[in-house]
Structures are given as structure tokens and as C-alpha cells.
Amino acid sequence: LASEMECESIITVVEWSSRSFVVGQEDGTVSIYPVNEVLTQNFDQIEPMTVSRPTPVRSLSFGYRGRLLAVGGDDGVVAIYNTEGKWPMVHSISVDFSVSRVKWSPTGRHLAIA
């Protein structure tokens, strides 16, 4: 699907949940698409919700039941977004390194950051 998208920046990572298809890009943009629309329409017909980060997005991970999305990047910050409504950022975690991978535990209580 990502190959069908026309993006202004290079796609660096993609992630699925039962409700959303999310694309992270080199320019720091995170585009969030409803799965039901992605599977039935062309991307050029869908207006994604977007959030912006100051540096490239390197990792995306949905938490337990897809309620939270962790976004990691080169700035050493993992932003946690609530997937309900307008996707507000609910928490951020700063580390002393560029984040290349984030992954929720199976229970959704813990987050591994590399």
C-alpha cells in the first residue's frame, strides 16, 4: 500500500492496527489513515490525520488493542498518542540516543526502546 502513496518525503516506517494504517516519514510527518478507507479507496481520495515531529520518524508501535501509538525518531523522544479522537499526545519519554525501535509488551504495560 505504501508504494501507492504520493508523499513529499521518504516513507521510513509503516504500522497497522485493526483501526488504523500509519506512515512515518523522513521529514517527521506521521500520517494516520482509517483502515476501512485504506482497504476500499485510493490513497489520493483519503485525507489523513497528521502529526509532526522535528526529526525523521524511525519506529511506530501500537499498544494493546491499538489504543496507544508510540512514535520514535532521531530526536531521542518517544511520543505516545491516544488513538481516539484527534490523536492527542498523552506522554513523551526522552532518552539520550536516537530512537530506532519502539515496541509495546504484549500486555501494553511496558514499552521497549532501542
Side-chain angles (χ1 to χ4, degrees), residues 62-110:
F62 279 101
Y64 181 68
R65 295 188 179 169
R67 292 186 181 148
L68 297 174
L69 175 69
V71 179
D74 288 352
D75 60 354
V77 174
V78 176
I80 311 293
Y81 295 91
N82 182 331
T83 63
E84 301 295 324
K86 300 285 185 187
W87 289 72
M89 185 169 66
V90 294
H91 190 66
S92 67
I93 302 165
S94 295
V95 294
D96 294 329
F97 52 87
S98 177
V99 177
S100 61
R101 187 77 172 113
V102 293
K103 185 69 177 171
W104 289 98
S105 67
T107 62
R109 294 189 68 194
H110 304 282

mmCIF file of all heavy atoms in Angstrom, residues 62-110:
data_model
loop_
_atom_site.group_PDB
_atom_site.id
_atom_site.type_symbol
_atom_site.label_atom_id
_atom_site.label_comp_id
_atom_site.label_asym_id
_atom_site.label_seq_id
_atom_site.Cartn_x
_atom_site.Cartn_y
_atom_site.Cartn_z
ATOM 1 N N PHE A 62 1.872 0.142 17.847
ATOM 2 C CA PHE A 62 0.581 0.232 18.526
ATOM 3 C C PHE A 62 0.618 -0.592 19.793
ATOM 4 O O PHE A 62 1.161 -1.697 19.817
ATOM 5 C CB PHE A 62 -0.549 -0.292 17.632
ATOM 6 C CG PHE A 62 -1.012 0.707 16.621
ATOM 7 C CD1 PHE A 62 -0.598 0.622 15.309
ATOM 8 C CD2 PHE A 62 -1.860 1.745 16.980
ATOM 9 C CE1 PHE A 62 -1.012 1.540 14.374
ATOM 10 C CE2 PHE A 62 -2.283 2.677 16.054
ATOM 11 C CZ PHE A 62 -1.863 2.576 14.740
ATOM 12 N N GLY A 63 0.020 -0.053 20.845
ATOM 13 C CA GLY A 63 -0.095 -0.755 22.117
ATOM 14 C C GLY A 63 -1.248 -1.737 22.098
ATOM 15 O O GLY A 63 -1.950 -1.909 21.095
ATOM 16 N N TYR A 64 -1.446 -2.368 23.218
ATOM 17 C CA TYR A 64 -2.500 -3.351 23.420
ATOM 18 C C TYR A 64 -3.839 -2.819 22.924
ATOM 19 O O TYR A 64 -4.243 -1.714 23.282
ATOM 20 C CB TYR A 64 -2.560 -3.699 24.916
ATOM 21 C CG TYR A 64 -3.586 -4.717 25.293
ATOM 22 C CD1 TYR A 64 -3.456 -6.029 24.888
ATOM 23 C CD2 TYR A 64 -4.672 -4.360 26.065
ATOM 24 C CE1 TYR A 64 -4.392 -6.973 25.251
ATOM 25 C CE2 TYR A 64 -5.616 -5.290 26.441
ATOM 26 C CZ TYR A 64 -5.464 -6.606 26.024
ATOM 27 O OH TYR A 64 -6.404 -7.534 26.388
ATOM 28 N N ARG A 65 -4.477 -3.570 22.080
ATOM 29 C CA ARG A 65 -5.776 -3.224 21.486
ATOM 30 C C ARG A 65 -5.752 -1.955 20.647
ATOM 31 O O ARG A 65 -6.782 -1.366 20.362
ATOM 32 C CB ARG A 65 -6.863 -3.140 22.553
ATOM 33 C CG ARG A 65 -7.123 -4.471 23.212
ATOM 34 C CD ARG A 65 -8.314 -4.407 24.107
ATOM 35 N NE ARG A 65 -8.528 -5.725 24.695
ATOM 36 C CZ ARG A 65 -9.355 -5.952 25.680
ATOM 37 N NH1 ARG A 65 -10.063 -4.964 26.193
ATOM 38 N NH2 ARG A 65 -9.494 -7.160 26.163
ATOM 39 N N GLY A 66 -4.569 -1.490 20.288
ATOM 40 C CA GLY A 66 -4.451 -0.345 19.409
ATOM 41 C C GLY A 66 -4.865 0.984 20.002
ATOM 42 O O GLY A 66 -5.113 1.940 19.278
ATOM 43 N N ARG A 67 -4.913 1.078 21.312
ATOM 44 C CA ARG A 67 -5.381 2.314 21.965
ATOM 45 C C ARG A 67 -4.313 3.399 22.052
ATOM 46 O O ARG A 67 -4.637 4.565 22.189
ATOM 47 C CB ARG A 67 -5.919 2.008 23.350
ATOM 48 C CG ARG A 67 -7.185 1.196 23.283
ATOM 49 C CD ARG A 67 -7.792 1.013 24.639
ATOM 50 N NE ARG A 67 -9.000 0.208 24.525
ATOM 51 C CZ ARG A 67 -9.411 -0.611 25.439
ATOM 52 N NH1 ARG A 67 -8.741 -0.740 26.573
ATOM 53 N NH2 ARG A 67 -10.512 -1.309 25.267
ATOM 54 N N LEU A 68 -3.037 2.992 22.025
ATOM 55 C CA LEU A 68 -1.937 3.946 22.080
ATOM 56 C C LEU A 68 -0.980 3.684 20.924
ATOM 57 O O LEU A 68 -0.824 2.544 20.489
ATOM 58 C CB LEU A 68 -1.174 3.830 23.401
ATOM 59 C CG LEU A 68 -1.940 4.152 24.672
ATOM 60 C CD1 LEU A 68 -1.079 3.834 25.889
ATOM 61 C CD2 LEU A 68 -2.377 5.606 24.697
ATOM 62 N N LEU A 69 -0.339 4.748 20.443
ATOM 63 C CA LEU A 69 0.673 4.623 19.410
ATOM 64 C C LEU A 69 1.945 5.287 19.909
ATOM 65 O O LEU A 69 1.938 6.457 20.291
ATOM 66 C CB LEU A 69 0.222 5.308 18.111
ATOM 67 C CG LEU A 69 1.260 5.343 16.992
ATOM 68 C CD1 LEU A 69 1.503 3.940 16.441
ATOM 69 C CD2 LEU A 69 0.833 6.291 15.884
ATOM 70 N N ALA A 70 3.051 4.522 19.913
ATOM 71 C CA ALA A 70 4.358 5.076 20.267
ATOM 72 C C ALA A 70 5.088 5.428 18.974
ATOM 73 O O ALA A 70 5.111 4.642 18.030
ATOM 74 C CB ALA A 70 5.167 4.058 21.066
ATOM 75 N N VAL A 71 5.684 6.624 18.942
ATOM 76 C CA VAL A 71 6.407 7.106 17.771
ATOM 77 C C VAL A 71 7.798 7.511 18.211
ATOM 78 O O VAL A 71 7.954 8.372 19.082
ATOM 79 C CB VAL A 71 5.687 8.320 17.135
ATOM 80 C CG1 VAL A 71 6.459 8.828 15.932
ATOM 81 C CG2 VAL A 71 4.253 7.968 16.752
ATOM 82 N N GLY A 72 8.821 6.883 17.633
ATOM 83 C CA GLY A 72 10.201 7.193 17.977
ATOM 84 C C GLY A 72 10.963 7.734 16.786
ATOM 85 O O GLY A 72 10.663 7.393 15.644
ATOM 86 N N GLY A 73 11.969 8.577 17.063
ATOM 87 C CA GLY A 73 12.738 9.158 15.971
ATOM 88 C C GLY A 73 14.119 9.605 16.396
ATOM 89 O O GLY A 73 14.586 9.329 17.506
ATOM 90 N N ASP A 74 14.764 10.331 15.490
ATOM 91 C CA ASP A 74 16.143 10.744 15.671
ATOM 92 C C ASP A 74 16.358 11.752 16.798
ATOM 93 O O ASP A 74 17.479 11.948 17.254
ATOM 94 C CB ASP A 74 16.685 11.354 14.372
ATOM 95 C CG ASP A 74 16.911 10.311 13.288
ATOM 96 O OD1 ASP A 74 16.798 9.103 13.577
ATOM 97 O OD2 ASP A 74 17.201 10.720 12.148
ATOM 98 N N ASP A 75 15.291 12.392 17.273
ATOM 99 C CA ASP A 75 15.427 13.410 18.322
ATOM 100 C C ASP A 75 15.552 12.834 19.727
ATOM 101 O O ASP A 75 15.712 13.574 20.691
ATOM 102 C CB ASP A 75 14.273 14.402 18.275
ATOM 103 C CG ASP A 75 12.905 13.756 18.466
ATOM 104 O OD1 ASP A 75 12.824 12.514 18.527
ATOM 105 O OD2 ASP A 75 11.918 14.512 18.527
ATOM 106 N N GLY A 76 15.482 11.502 19.872
ATOM 107 C CA GLY A 76 15.604 10.890 21.189
ATOM 108 C C GLY A 76 14.354 11.016 22.035
ATOM 109 O O GLY A 76 14.401 10.889 23.247
ATOM 110 N N VAL A 77 13.222 11.260 21.390
ATOM 111 C CA VAL A 77 11.945 11.367 22.097
ATOM 112 C C VAL A 77 10.980 10.329 21.545
ATOM 113 O O VAL A 77 10.854 10.168 20.335
ATOM 114 C CB VAL A 77 11.339 12.780 21.930
ATOM 115 C CG1 VAL A 77 9.946 12.843 22.547
ATOM 116 C CG2 VAL A 77 12.246 13.825 22.556
ATOM 117 N N VAL A 78 10.313 9.621 22.464
ATOM 118 C CA VAL A 78 9.222 8.733 22.086
ATOM 119 C C VAL A 78 7.936 9.426 22.497
ATOM 120 O O VAL A 78 7.730 9.728 23.677
ATOM 121 C CB VAL A 78 9.327 7.354 22.783
ATOM 122 C CG1 VAL A 78 8.132 6.487 22.441
ATOM 123 C CG2 VAL A 78 10.630 6.665 22.396
ATOM 124 N N ALA A 79 7.107 9.732 21.526
ATOM 125 C CA ALA A 79 5.821 10.379 21.792
ATOM 126 C C ALA A 79 4.749 9.304 21.807
ATOM 127 O O ALA A 79 4.721 8.422 20.947
ATOM 128 C CB ALA A 79 5.511 11.415 20.719
ATOM 129 N N ILE A 80 3.869 9.365 22.801
ATOM 130 C CA ILE A 80 2.769 8.409 22.935
ATOM 131 C C ILE A 80 1.480 9.151 22.611
ATOM 132 O O ILE A 80 1.146 10.151 23.252
ATOM 133 C CB ILE A 80 2.677 7.835 24.368
ATOM 134 C CG1 ILE A 80 4.040 7.353 24.862
ATOM 135 C CG2 ILE A 80 1.610 6.749 24.432
ATOM 136 C CD1 ILE A 80 4.605 6.172 24.147
ATOM 137 N N TYR A 81 0.748 8.660 21.622
ATOM 138 C CA TYR A 81 -0.504 9.279 21.198
ATOM 139 C C TYR A 81 -1.685 8.393 21.552
ATOM 140 O O TYR A 81 -1.607 7.163 21.419
ATOM 141 C CB TYR A 81 -0.505 9.514 19.682
ATOM 142 C CG TYR A 81 0.528 10.510 19.243
ATOM 143 C CD1 TYR A 81 1.802 10.098 18.877
ATOM 144 C CD2 TYR A 81 0.237 11.869 19.217
ATOM 145 C CE1 TYR A 81 2.759 11.017 18.482
ATOM 146 C CE2 TYR A 81 1.190 12.792 18.818
ATOM 147 C CZ TYR A 81 2.448 12.352 18.452
ATOM 148 O OH TYR A 81 3.392 13.265 18.076
ATOM 149 N N ASN A 82 -2.772 8.997 21.977
ATOM 150 C CA ASN A 82 -4.043 8.313 22.191
ATOM 151 C C ASN A 82 -4.703 8.193 20.824
ATOM 152 O O ASN A 82 -4.829 9.183 20.111
ATOM 153 C CB ASN A 82 -4.916 9.137 23.145
ATOM 154 C CG ASN A 82 -6.224 8.480 23.458
ATOM 155 O OD1 ASN A 82 -6.777 7.726 22.663
ATOM 156 N ND2 ASN A 82 -6.751 8.776 24.622
ATOM 157 N N THR A 83 -5.128 7.001 20.452
ATOM 158 C CA THR A 83 -5.669 6.785 19.113
ATOM 159 C C THR A 83 -7.144 7.154 18.990
ATOM 160 O O THR A 83 -7.733 6.970 17.934
ATOM 161 C CB THR A 83 -5.476 5.318 18.669
ATOM 162 O OG1 THR A 83 -6.210 4.462 19.545
ATOM 163 C CG2 THR A 83 -4.017 4.933 18.683
ATOM 164 N N GLU A 84 -7.732 7.665 20.034
ATOM 165 C CA GLU A 84 -9.135 8.089 19.990
ATOM 166 C C GLU A 84 -9.228 9.545 19.576
ATOM 167 O O GLU A 84 -8.392 10.365 19.944
ATOM 168 C CB GLU A 84 -9.794 7.904 21.362
ATOM 169 C CG GLU A 84 -9.770 6.479 21.878
ATOM 170 C CD GLU A 84 -10.590 5.523 21.033
ATOM 171 O OE1 GLU A 84 -11.643 5.925 20.523
ATOM 172 O OE2 GLU A 84 -10.159 4.367 20.882
ATOM 173 N N GLY A 85 -10.238 9.893 18.854
ATOM 174 C CA GLY A 85 -10.498 11.289 18.505
ATOM 175 C C GLY A 85 -9.443 11.900 17.619
ATOM 176 O O GLY A 85 -9.119 11.388 16.564
ATOM 177 N N LYS A 86 -8.849 12.983 18.080
ATOM 178 C CA LYS A 86 -7.874 13.753 17.291
ATOM 179 C C LYS A 86 -6.426 13.332 17.539
ATOM 180 O O LYS A 86 -5.501 14.060 17.242
ATOM 181 C CB LYS A 86 -8.023 15.248 17.588
ATOM 182 C CG LYS A 86 -9.372 15.812 17.258
ATOM 183 C CD LYS A 86 -9.516 15.976 15.776
ATOM 184 C CE LYS A 86 -10.835 16.652 15.454
ATOM 185 N NZ LYS A 86 -11.101 16.703 14.052
ATOM 186 N N TRP A 87 -6.196 12.180 18.111
ATOM 187 C CA TRP A 87 -4.872 11.632 18.363
ATOM 188 C C TRP A 87 -4.002 12.579 19.201
ATOM 189 O O TRP A 87 -2.900 12.949 18.800
ATOM 190 C CB TRP A 87 -4.168 11.297 17.044
ATOM 191 C CG TRP A 87 -4.737 10.132 16.332
ATOM 192 C CD1 TRP A 87 -5.940 10.097 15.679
ATOM 193 C CD2 TRP A 87 -4.171 8.839 16.195
ATOM 194 N NE1 TRP A 87 -6.138 8.857 15.139
ATOM 195 C CE2 TRP A 87 -5.069 8.060 15.433
ATOM 196 C CE3 TRP A 87 -2.993 8.261 16.626
ATOM 197 C CZ2 TRP A 87 -4.823 6.740 15.101
ATOM 198 C CZ3 TRP A 87 -2.741 6.947 16.286
ATOM 199 C CH2 TRP A 87 -3.664 6.200 15.537
ATOM 200 N N PRO A 88 -4.456 12.989 20.391
ATOM 201 C CA PRO A 88 -3.619 13.875 21.212
ATOM 202 C C PRO A 88 -2.395 13.133 21.754
ATOM 203 O O PRO A 88 -2.447 11.930 22.017
ATOM 204 C CB PRO A 88 -4.556 14.266 22.359
ATOM 205 C CG PRO A 88 -5.482 13.107 22.490
ATOM 206 C CD PRO A 88 -5.693 12.604 21.074
ATOM 207 N N MET A 89 -1.289 13.867 21.913
ATOM 208 C CA MET A 89 -0.117 13.285 22.550
ATOM 209 C C MET A 89 -0.400 13.253 24.051
ATOM 210 O O MET A 89 -0.766 14.266 24.642
ATOM 211 C CB MET A 89 1.147 14.083 22.281
ATOM 212 C CG MET A 89 2.373 13.395 22.859
ATOM 213 S SD MET A 89 3.941 14.091 22.329
ATOM 214 C CE MET A 89 3.882 15.698 23.080
ATOM 215 N N VAL A 90 -0.267 12.090 24.672
ATOM 216 C CA VAL A 90 -0.592 11.945 26.081
ATOM 217 C C VAL A 90 0.644 11.792 26.965
ATOM 218 O O VAL A 90 0.555 11.927 28.175
ATOM 219 C CB VAL A 90 -1.568 10.766 26.321
ATOM 220 C CG1 VAL A 90 -2.909 11.054 25.680
ATOM 221 C CG2 VAL A 90 -0.998 9.449 25.821
ATOM 222 N N HIS A 91 1.803 11.497 26.357
ATOM 223 C CA HIS A 91 3.017 11.314 27.147
ATOM 224 C C HIS A 91 4.216 11.359 26.205
ATOM 225 O O HIS A 91 4.101 11.024 25.033
ATOM 226 C CB HIS A 91 2.970 9.961 27.872
ATOM 227 C CG HIS A 91 4.042 9.773 28.883
ATOM 228 N ND1 HIS A 91 4.124 10.519 30.035
ATOM 229 C CD2 HIS A 91 5.091 8.922 28.912
ATOM 230 C CE1 HIS A 91 5.170 10.120 30.744
ATOM 231 N NE2 HIS A 91 5.774 9.157 30.077
ATOM 232 N N SER A 92 5.365 11.754 26.733
ATOM 233 C CA SER A 92 6.595 11.662 25.959
ATOM 234 C C SER A 92 7.708 11.167 26.869
ATOM 235 O O SER A 92 7.706 11.429 28.076
ATOM 236 C CB SER A 92 6.962 12.996 25.311
ATOM 237 O OG SER A 92 7.306 13.941 26.287
ATOM 238 N N ILE A 93 8.634 10.428 26.275
ATOM 239 C CA ILE A 93 9.763 9.861 27.001
ATOM 240 C C ILE A 93 11.028 10.323 26.280
ATOM 241 O O ILE A 93 11.175 10.081 25.075
ATOM 242 C CB ILE A 93 9.706 8.316 27.009
ATOM 243 C CG1 ILE A 93 8.403 7.828 27.633
ATOM 244 C CG2 ILE A 93 10.924 7.734 27.716
ATOM 245 C CD1 ILE A 93 8.107 6.359 27.356
ATOM 246 N N SER A 94 11.933 10.979 26.999
ATOM 247 C CA SER A 94 13.194 11.428 26.408
ATOM 248 C C SER A 94 14.307 10.465 26.791
ATOM 249 O O SER A 94 14.404 10.036 27.946
ATOM 250 C CB SER A 94 13.551 12.831 26.903
ATOM 251 O OG SER A 94 12.602 13.762 26.459
ATOM 252 N N VAL A 95 15.142 10.128 25.817
ATOM 253 C CA VAL A 95 16.300 9.263 26.046
ATOM 254 C C VAL A 95 17.529 9.951 25.454
ATOM 255 O O VAL A 95 17.407 10.926 24.708
ATOM 256 C CB VAL A 95 16.097 7.858 25.429
ATOM 257 C CG1 VAL A 95 14.966 7.114 26.138
ATOM 258 C CG2 VAL A 95 15.808 7.938 23.940
ATOM 259 N N ASP A 96 18.709 9.458 25.774
ATOM 260 C CA ASP A 96 19.958 10.079 25.333
ATOM 261 C C ASP A 96 20.497 9.485 24.039
ATOM 262 O O ASP A 96 21.706 9.466 23.823
ATOM 263 C CB ASP A 96 21.025 9.945 26.429
ATOM 264 C CG ASP A 96 20.673 10.738 27.665
ATOM 265 O OD1 ASP A 96 20.009 11.781 27.532
ATOM 266 O OD2 ASP A 96 21.055 10.300 28.768
ATOM 267 N N PHE A 97 19.616 8.999 23.195
ATOM 268 C CA PHE A 97 20.055 8.391 21.934
ATOM 269 C C PHE A 97 18.941 8.508 20.902
ATOM 270 O O PHE A 97 17.785 8.743 21.237
ATOM 271 C CB PHE A 97 20.447 6.925 22.141
ATOM 272 C CG PHE A 97 19.400 6.096 22.848
ATOM 273 C CD1 PHE A 97 18.367 5.478 22.145
ATOM 274 C CD2 PHE A 97 19.448 5.936 24.231
ATOM 275 C CE1 PHE A 97 17.405 4.709 22.802
ATOM 276 C CE2 PHE A 97 18.490 5.174 24.894
ATOM 277 C CZ PHE A 97 17.465 4.555 24.178
ATOM 278 N N SER A 98 19.309 8.356 19.661
ATOM 279 C CA SER A 98 18.335 8.333 18.582
ATOM 280 C C SER A 98 17.513 7.056 18.698
ATOM 281 O O SER A 98 18.072 5.977 18.900
ATOM 282 C CB SER A 98 19.069 8.359 17.240
ATOM 283 O OG SER A 98 18.174 8.279 16.174
ATOM 284 N N VAL A 99 16.203 7.164 18.607
ATOM 285 C CA VAL A 99 15.323 6.003 18.776
ATOM 286 C C VAL A 99 15.118 5.318 17.435
ATOM 287 O O VAL A 99 14.566 5.896 16.498
ATOM 288 C CB VAL A 99 13.962 6.422 19.375
ATOM 289 C CG1 VAL A 99 13.026 5.229 19.477
ATOM 290 C CG2 VAL A 99 14.170 7.079 20.732
ATOM 291 N N SER A 100 15.593 4.077 17.333
ATOM 292 C CA SER A 100 15.437 3.328 16.092
ATOM 293 C C SER A 100 14.308 2.309 16.162
ATOM 294 O O SER A 100 13.818 1.857 15.133
ATOM 295 C CB SER A 100 16.736 2.617 15.722
ATOM 296 O OG SER A 100 17.098 1.702 16.740
ATOM 297 N N ARG A 101 13.867 1.962 17.392
ATOM 298 C CA ARG A 101 12.813 0.950 17.512
ATOM 299 C C ARG A 101 12.060 1.146 18.814
ATOM 300 O O ARG A 101 12.663 1.350 19.871
ATOM 301 C CB ARG A 101 13.433 -0.446 17.498
ATOM 302 C CG ARG A 101 12.455 -1.571 17.446
ATOM 303 C CD ARG A 101 11.891 -1.753 16.033
ATOM 304 N NE ARG A 101 11.100 -2.971 15.973
ATOM 305 C CZ ARG A 101 9.793 -2.990 15.791
ATOM 306 N NH1 ARG A 101 9.130 -1.877 15.627
ATOM 307 N NH2 ARG A 101 9.147 -4.117 15.741
ATOM 308 N N VAL A 102 10.738 1.082 18.733
ATOM 309 C CA VAL A 102 9.876 1.047 19.912
ATOM 310 C C VAL A 102 8.949 -0.148 19.766
ATOM 311 O O VAL A 102 8.534 -0.490 18.663
ATOM 312 C CB VAL A 102 9.054 2.351 20.089
ATOM 313 C CG1 VAL A 102 9.960 3.513 20.418
ATOM 314 C CG2 VAL A 102 8.225 2.671 18.869
ATOM 315 N N LYS A 103 8.653 -0.804 20.880
ATOM 316 C CA LYS A 103 7.777 -1.974 20.835
ATOM 317 C C LYS A 103 7.083 -2.140 22.178
ATOM 318 O O LYS A 103 7.725 -2.177 23.225
ATOM 319 C CB LYS A 103 8.580 -3.234 20.513
ATOM 320 C CG LYS A 103 7.763 -4.480 20.335
ATOM 321 C CD LYS A 103 6.932 -4.412 19.077
ATOM 322 C CE LYS A 103 6.179 -5.716 18.882
ATOM 323 N NZ LYS A 103 5.220 -5.636 17.810
ATOM 324 N N TRP A 104 5.749 -2.216 22.135
ATOM 325 C CA TRP A 104 4.965 -2.455 23.348
ATOM 326 C C TRP A 104 5.052 -3.915 23.750
ATOM 327 O O TRP A 104 5.171 -4.802 22.902
ATOM 328 C CB TRP A 104 3.496 -2.120 23.103
ATOM 329 C CG TRP A 104 3.229 -0.666 22.955
ATOM 330 C CD1 TRP A 104 3.089 0.020 21.786
ATOM 331 C CD2 TRP A 104 3.058 0.299 23.999
ATOM 332 N NE1 TRP A 104 2.846 1.346 22.042
ATOM 333 C CE2 TRP A 104 2.822 1.546 23.390
ATOM 334 C CE3 TRP A 104 3.086 0.224 25.386
ATOM 335 C CZ2 TRP A 104 2.614 2.710 24.124
ATOM 336 C CZ3 TRP A 104 2.880 1.388 26.115
ATOM 337 C CH2 TRP A 104 2.639 2.607 25.486
ATOM 338 N N SER A 105 4.966 -4.172 25.051
ATOM 339 C CA SER A 105 4.867 -5.549 25.548
ATOM 340 C C SER A 105 3.495 -6.099 25.171
ATOM 341 O O SER A 105 2.572 -5.322 24.871
ATOM 342 C CB SER A 105 5.050 -5.581 27.069
ATOM 343 O OG SER A 105 3.958 -4.929 27.709
ATOM 344 N N PRO A 106 3.323 -7.424 25.192
ATOM 345 C CA PRO A 106 2.019 -7.998 24.828
ATOM 346 C C PRO A 106 0.854 -7.491 25.682
ATOM 347 O O PRO A 106 -0.267 -7.398 25.201
ATOM 348 C CB PRO A 106 2.230 -9.499 25.031
ATOM 349 C CG PRO A 106 3.691 -9.697 24.811
ATOM 350 C CD PRO A 106 4.334 -8.454 25.385
ATOM 351 N N THR A 107 1.124 -7.121 26.930
ATOM 352 C CA THR A 107 0.052 -6.613 27.793
ATOM 353 C C THR A 107 -0.190 -5.116 27.598
ATOM 354 O O THR A 107 -1.189 -4.582 28.062
ATOM 355 C CB THR A 107 0.390 -6.838 29.279
ATOM 356 O OG1 THR A 107 1.580 -6.099 29.594
ATOM 357 C CG2 THR A 107 0.559 -8.315 29.591
ATOM 358 N N GLY A 108 0.755 -4.429 26.939
ATOM 359 C CA GLY A 108 0.630 -2.998 26.742
ATOM 360 C C GLY A 108 1.043 -2.173 27.944
ATOM 361 O O GLY A 108 0.906 -0.958 27.944
ATOM 362 N N ARG A 109 1.610 -2.799 28.958
ATOM 363 C CA ARG A 109 2.004 -2.064 30.175
ATOM 364 C C ARG A 109 3.421 -1.516 30.091
ATOM 365 O O ARG A 109 3.779 -0.603 30.830
ATOM 366 C CB ARG A 109 1.889 -2.976 31.392
ATOM 367 C CG ARG A 109 0.438 -3.365 31.666
ATOM 368 C CD ARG A 109 0.286 -4.081 32.960
ATOM 369 N NE ARG A 109 0.558 -3.107 34.016
ATOM 370 C CZ ARG A 109 0.775 -3.434 35.271
ATOM 371 N NH1 ARG A 109 0.753 -4.680 35.646
ATOM 372 N NH2 ARG A 109 1.018 -2.493 36.177
ATOM 373 N N HIS A 110 4.265 -2.080 29.208
ATOM 374 C CA HIS A 110 5.659 -1.678 29.116
ATOM 375 C C HIS A 110 6.019 -1.367 27.670
ATOM 376 O O HIS A 110 5.433 -1.916 26.742
ATOM 377 C CB HIS A 110 6.567 -2.789 29.651
ATOM 378 C CG HIS A 110 6.232 -3.198 31.041
ATOM 379 N ND1 HIS A 110 6.597 -2.468 32.153
ATOM 380 C CD2 HIS A 110 5.520 -4.262 31.508
ATOM 381 C CE1 HIS A 110 6.141 -3.066 33.236
ATOM 382 N NE2 HIS A 110 5.489 -4.145 32.875
#
